[in-house]
Amino acid sequence: MRFQAEAKNVNFIEAGKKVLRIERECLKQLERFINQEFTTACEMIFRCTGKVVVMGMGKSGHIGRKIAATLASTGTPAFFVHPGEASHGDLGMIGRNDIVIAISNSGESQEILTLIPVIKRLVIPLICMTGRAESSMARAAQVHLCIQVPFEACPLGLAPTSSTTATLVMGDALAVALLEARGFTQEDFALSHPGGALGRKLLLHVSDIMHAGEEVPCVLESASLRDALFEITRKKMGMTVIANASGEISGIFTDGDLRRVIDMNIDLQTTPIAQVMTPGGIRVAPQQLAVDALNLMQQKNITSLLVEEQGKLIGVVHLHDMLRAGVV
């Protein structure tokens, strides 16, 4: 197939905006199909003790994969099965406790129609999304979700554009309605997205990223300022903790404190660190969420927090640790 080597005299911006206008109008009309059938579909899926199996061919298949992924990540176990592969063995992936959502704009996808008798024989509930209420798939379904649009955004009326957008939005409506019905929380979302930014923020605890043991810069109260400076240099965290012989935190000494004592003309060799340290120090518990510890750092305008358990030092968490862990 050959295409023109040069573009026609087309205003690309206007052409793009026209697509947006058409699809917005189509979505406005889609709202009338959020009706009792939609409620029934949500109730069926909510009561399902198995998984939601989504099917679709071509562009409907691409949208179906997205719908299955959205359902799965928002508390409704779901996966996609290609109808063609289902006819050659993958139908065995569907169990009797599952529900099938079949998608086809025309409602006449032969690959799906071939599977419907088997789905019915297994007594598996069938929800169909089509653009034609009188289609074969719509008539065969227990619940029909209409995704009809008046026209495609494609000027030829051929490429699935408005229709696939409508299908995707109907899938989002199902997923979000079910999310609300299940009381799905941010923490639940994070559990299914441990590799994402939200997962890291909601699942990481201070104990997961803190420095512990020999990595912790720490000197005794009896140490000299000189000893403390050596410890700061060795551990490369810009600070050191000062603790008593029992491991209880007495205070903290930072690079900023060093600039202050230099102006005081203090003898580095003989001055006890306990004399120039900042008593106390800002502390967190190891089980505290890393994101809460980060917020505390920002509130106090500091770069390190002391981690304590039952009053004793067990670690230090630095802003750099937050950066490495992706909490920031």
Side-chain angles (χ1 to χ4, degrees):
M1 182 180 295
R2 297 182 63 186
F3 298 94
Q4 285 182 298
E6 295 182 3
K8 293 168 62 178
N9 186 23
V10 174
N11 184 322
F12 290 117
I13 292 176
E14 182 53 37
K17 288 182 177 180
K18 182 180 179 182
V19 170
L20 297 184
R21 288 194 297 270
I22 291 172
E23 297 206 5
R24 278 198 300 268
E25 182 59 35
C26 289
L27 290 180
K28 285 181 183 178
Q29 298 191 37
L30 184 70
E31 188 172 341
R32 70 186 189 275
F33 300 128
I34 304 294
N35 50 25
Q36 186 56 45
E37 290 283 279
F38 179 84
T39 297
T40 303
C42 288
E43 290 173 345
M44 287 171 60
I45 297 170
F46 186 82
R47 292 194 300 266
C48 177
T49 58
K51 291 181 170 59
V52 176
V53 183
V54 184
M55 294 182 174
M57 286 295 297
K59 302 299 185 295
S60 293
H62 295 312
I63 298 299
R65 288 181 190 276
K66 166 59 170 64
I67 291 173
T70 300
L71 287 167
S73 68
T74 52
T76 301
F79 63 94
F80 178 84
V81 172
H82 191 285
E85 298 296 336
S87 293
H88 296 277
D90 281 5
L91 199 61
M93 299 168 70
I94 306 174
R96 292 181 183 271
N97 294 325
D98 296 338
I99 283 180
V100 171
I101 297 179
I103 305 170
S104 168
N105 187 43
S106 69
E108 303 295 341
S109 170
Q110 285 303 313
E111 293 84 355
I112 293 176
L113 290 173
T114 300
L115 300 173
I116 287 179
V118 183
I119 292 170
K120 287 185 171 291
R121 183 174 180 180
L122 294 173
V123 197
I124 295 171
L126 175 64
I127 298 169
C128 285
M129 286 189 195
T130 83
R132 297 173 58 240
E134 70 281 4
S135 65
S136 301
M137 284 175 55
R139 292 197 303 268
Q142 285 178 252
V143 175
H144 175 239
L145 297 178
C146 190
I147 49 172
Q148 184 182 53
V149 293
F151 32 72
E152 299 287 3
C154 167
L156 302 176
L158 299 175
T161 45
S162 302
S163 58
T164 48
T165 300
T167 308
L168 182 61
V169 171
M170 183 65 78
D172 286 344
L174 279 175
V176 173
L178 289 162
L179 175 153
E180 292 185 3
R182 297 184 195 283
F184 197 76
T185 65
Q186 277 193 326
E187 287 73 18
D188 296 324
F189 188 87
L191 288 172
S192 60
H193 297 75
L198 180 61
R200 288 191 295 273
K201 287 184 178 181
L202 294 181
L203 297 179
L204 273 179
H205 294 85
V206 169
S207 58
D208 297 322
I209 60 175
M210 71 180 188
H211 296 269
E214 289 300 315
E215 295 181 359
V216 178
C218 183
V219 296
L220 293 174
E221 294 173 334
S222 58
S224 68
L225 177 53
R226 177 177 178 273
D227 295 331
L229 294 179
F230 279 142
E231 182 72 352
I232 292 173
T233 302
R234 279 195 300 268
K235 302 300 173 63
K236 299 178 180 178
M237 293 181 65
M239 53 77 67
T240 185
V241 185
I242 296 88
N244 63 24
S246 300
E248 296 169 333
I249 301 170
S250 301
I252 185 173
F253 189 83
T254 68
D255 287 343
D257 293 324
L258 176 60
R259 288 188 288 273
R260 172 174 54 83
V261 299
I262 288 176
D263 292 338
M264 297 166 60
N265 295 319
I266 286 178
D267 188 337
L268 303 183
Q269 302 285 347
T270 60
T271 302
I273 188 63
Q275 182 178 321
V276 292
M277 71 180 184
T278 299
I282 310 299
R283 311 174 191 189
V284 292
Q287 67 271 20
Q288 193 163 338
L289 287 174
V291 67
D292 291 336
L294 174 62
N295 290 336
L296 182 58
M297 284 183 184
Q298 292 172 334
Q299 291 169 14
K300 301 294 185 181
N301 196 27
I302 56 177
T303 58
S304 296
L305 290 170
L306 312 185
V307 186
E308 70 169 1
E309 198 165 45
Q310 297 180 343
K312 295 190 176 182
L313 176 71
I314 63 168
V316 171
V317 61
H318 194 275
L319 181 60
H320 291 163
D321 303 320
M322 302 287 185
L323 290 167
R324 280 192 291 270
V327 179
V328 178

